[in-house]
Amino acid sequence: MRKVFIAFLLFSPMSYANTLTPASEKPVTKPEVKKSSPAFPHLHWQNEDNNKNIDIGGALRANYRYEDWGSSNYRNPPHLRFDAFRIDANGNYNDAFFDSGFWFQDRRKYAIDRAYVGYHLSGNSDLQLGAPFKPFGLQPYPQFGWSYGIPFYLGFGVNNGLGAKYQFHDHGWALDAAYFPRMMPAGVRYAPEVGNFDDLKNTNYGSQHLQTNEKRDQVNLRLAREFHQGDWNNELGGSLAVSRLYNHDTGDNGTYWATGLHALVNYEPWHLSTQIIRYSYDAKGPEGANNSVILMGGNGLTPAYLIPAQATTASINLARDVEVAWGAVKKLRFYNDYSVLWKDKDGGSDSKMNTLGVQVFALPVMVWVDLTWAQNANPWGGAENATGWTSAQSSGSNKWYFRTNLNIGYYF
């Protein structure tokens, strides 16, 4: 939700006031279009009628982090590090439009979280081509805090693919349908996705080398209904995803499917988001491959990791906004994000994650302070918890690990 709010401020059309001259004066045949002050100091251009415009913005962010496990580079001592530099650009030309987000991350990595061109087919429908977000569940960020929850690490958040997406919105209904022949190349992924061992970076374990699966021809459907009553603004929805699961070693096709239900409840100043997702991979790996687990990875920013082939995940996130007048600070958002992974396979203890924090709005500066506890989750515990998502048989299995993260960002 926090980044959805940021994207809205950065990319939403500016509000304009139409001003006519008094009746006693010479009438004007065309309303005057005025520009509003942007929420962030990004570059904005529009023509007189605002049917042609372009916005260029982004963010520069840094992390101050402490992690309590012995092998962490953030333990002795905790320190400030570069997080990311992001460039966002969007615009429209009559009914055509484009939107993109490019990330330059630490460890000399880069990523594309979206990059597409589109066309407004009507006042309530459009078509996007390129690398749009996959429509599924909570969109596009499945939590309030800066630290991602478990659904993100399973591929259900800020995830895009190469293909086409159709959107229809009318009278509170929203239907998204998308087709992705291929996933994003591993080297430019922002979010993790099923990966072929030979393509992924930062694969630390030889046991992963027989994991050569890749999604192809994925179809996503998402249907949502909004409900507005007084100060209540709510949404209920369901999602479905299916694809082939091509194996590079055998040449065979397995299957993948996922289905989910989500809900948003907004009653100012309270915000609640929740979802439950069931997924299944039926891989056709070579002899000796463990088809009960699936390799996930991205651009190498974090090590590749295994997840269970069949499982259920759920999350519930609660936030409350508090208006303040502390100089540049105008609002605080207190939040708690909780997520869990229930594994089908015997011997796989549940994975859990909880983030308690506050977001500080001092535009154009925004700050997140996260306190996160996690159990059987690979990013918390690192090599000490290497099997956390799957069999939970590593030395750090079933232990709770703690991380505190302060993210400071200047948005333009």
Side-chain angles (χ1 to χ4, degrees):
M1 289 295 291
R2 58 174 172 80
K3 294 182 180 177
V4 174
F5 173 75
I6 293 168
F8 176 80
L9 292 176
L10 281 171
F11 300 132
S12 62
M14 310 307 294
S15 59
Y16 305 99
N18 296 334
T19 307
L20 299 178
T21 56
S24 59
E25 299 179 14
K26 181 180 179 180
V28 294
T29 58
K30 190 175 185 179
E32 179 185 358
V33 178
K34 294 182 179 180
K35 294 183 181 179
S36 303
S37 298
F40 297 114
H42 62 283
L43 300 177
H44 173 80
W45 173 86
Q46 68 180 52
N47 69 344
E48 185 177 347
D49 296 326
N50 193 30
N51 58 1
K52 302 177 183 67
N53 59 56
I54 187 169
D55 279 278
I56 300 176
L60 176 62
R61 305 194 322 208
N63 281 329
Y64 186 82
R65 180 180 299 174
Y66 169 77
E67 297 173 338
D68 74 346
W69 51 95
S71 60
S72 172
N73 294 327
Y74 292 95
R75 180 178 174 88
N76 295 311
H79 48 275
L80 184 69
R81 284 190 180 181
F82 168 74
D83 174 30
F85 176 69
R86 191 183 80 222
I87 293 292
D88 298 305
N90 81 330
N92 72 278
Y93 185 91
N94 295 327
D95 288 327
F97 60 92
F98 75 94
D99 193 7
S100 60
F102 300 89
W103 296 70
F104 301 88
Q105 299 167 307
D106 66 342
R107 305 175 192 173
R108 299 181 182 179
K109 306 299 181 185
Y110 55 93
I112 301 171
D113 71 2
R114 68 197 186 282
Y116 57 85
V117 296
Y119 189 82
H120 294 294
L121 303 173
S122 67
N124 53 11
S125 65
D126 62 68
L127 181 66
Q128 302 172 5
L129 300 174
F133 287 125
K134 294 178 184 176
F136 197 99
L138 298 174
Q139 289 272 282
Y141 297 95
Q143 77 290 314
F144 294 116
W146 182 88
S147 299
Y148 287 110
I150 291 175
F152 171 81
Y153 293 102
L154 303 177
F156 301 110
V158 209
N159 201 333
N160 62 356
L162 300 176
K165 180 166 72 173
Y166 170 77
Q167 294 184 312
F168 176 82
H169 304 272
D170 189 38
H171 292 93
W173 288 96
L175 172 66
D176 297 309
Y179 170 64
F180 303 98
R182 293 293 181 94
M183 304 304 100
M184 284 293 289
V188 293
R189 289 178 185 168
Y190 177 79
E193 183 55 274
V194 174
N196 176 5
F197 179 87
D198 295 331
D199 296 334
L200 295 178
K201 299 178 181 179
N202 205 350
T203 49
N204 293 341
Y205 302 97
S207 60
Q208 300 173 351
H209 78 281
L210 294 179
Q211 292 285 327
T212 58
N213 298 298
E214 175 191 352
K215 287 182 185 176
R216 293 188 179 179
D217 298 315
Q218 181 166 330
V219 174
N220 279 54
L221 296 173
R222 182 180 186 270
L223 180 65
R225 178 72 163 91
E226 295 179 353
F227 300 91
H228 304 283
Q229 181 66 42
D231 293 331
W232 292 89
N233 296 284
N234 309 323
E235 179 183 289
L236 295 175
S239 304
L240 175 69
V242 296
S243 77
R244 292 192 295 138
L245 193 62
Y246 176 75
N247 188 277
H248 286 266
D249 284 344
T250 65
D252 294 331
N253 290 305
T255 58
Y256 159 78
W257 62 263
T259 185
L261 297 173
H262 73 272
L264 300 171
V265 179
N266 296 289
Y267 182 76
E268 292 295 347
W270 293 94
H271 310 281
L272 174 70
S273 67
T274 185
Q275 65 180 349
I276 185 168
I277 298 168
R278 174 68 180 172
Y279 73 85
S280 176
Y281 293 90
D282 181 15
K284 304 298 182 182
E287 184 177 355
N290 183 359
N291 292 325
S292 68
V293 295
I294 297 294
L295 183 63
M296 300 284 289
N299 63 358
L301 189 66
T302 58
Y305 53 90
L306 297 170
I307 65 170
Q310 290 85 31
T312 302
T313 184
S315 63
I316 183 167
N317 316 306
L318 180 65
R320 190 185 193 282
D321 295 337
V322 178
E323 305 293 334
V324 297
W326 301 342
V329 179
K330 303 301 182 185
K331 185 172 75 171
L332 303 175
R333 170 170 287 179
F334 297 91
Y335 51 81
N336 191 88
D337 301 327
Y338 178 78
S339 53
V340 63
L341 174 66
W342 297 292
K343 304 154 192 172
D344 284 15
K345 186 178 178 181
D346 292 339
S349 302
D350 297 341
S351 298
K352 303 169 187 174
M353 188 179 298
N354 192 84
T355 296
L356 177 68
V358 60
Q359 181 181 2
V360 181
F361 294 82
L363 305 182
V365 174
M366 301 184 74
V367 178
W368 287 265
V369 181
D370 283 357
L371 306 176
T372 303
W373 294 262
Q375 182 185 51
N376 297 324
N378 289 12
W380 279 257
E384 302 167 31
N385 199 14
T387 65
W389 295 128
T390 55
S391 61
Q393 294 175 350
S394 48
S395 60
S397 295
N398 297 318
K399 294 181 181 179
W400 283 94
Y401 289 100
F402 171 73
R403 184 183 83 183
T404 179
N405 191 90
L406 171 67
N407 185 266
I408 305 170
Y410 176 79
Y411 292 82
F412 59 91

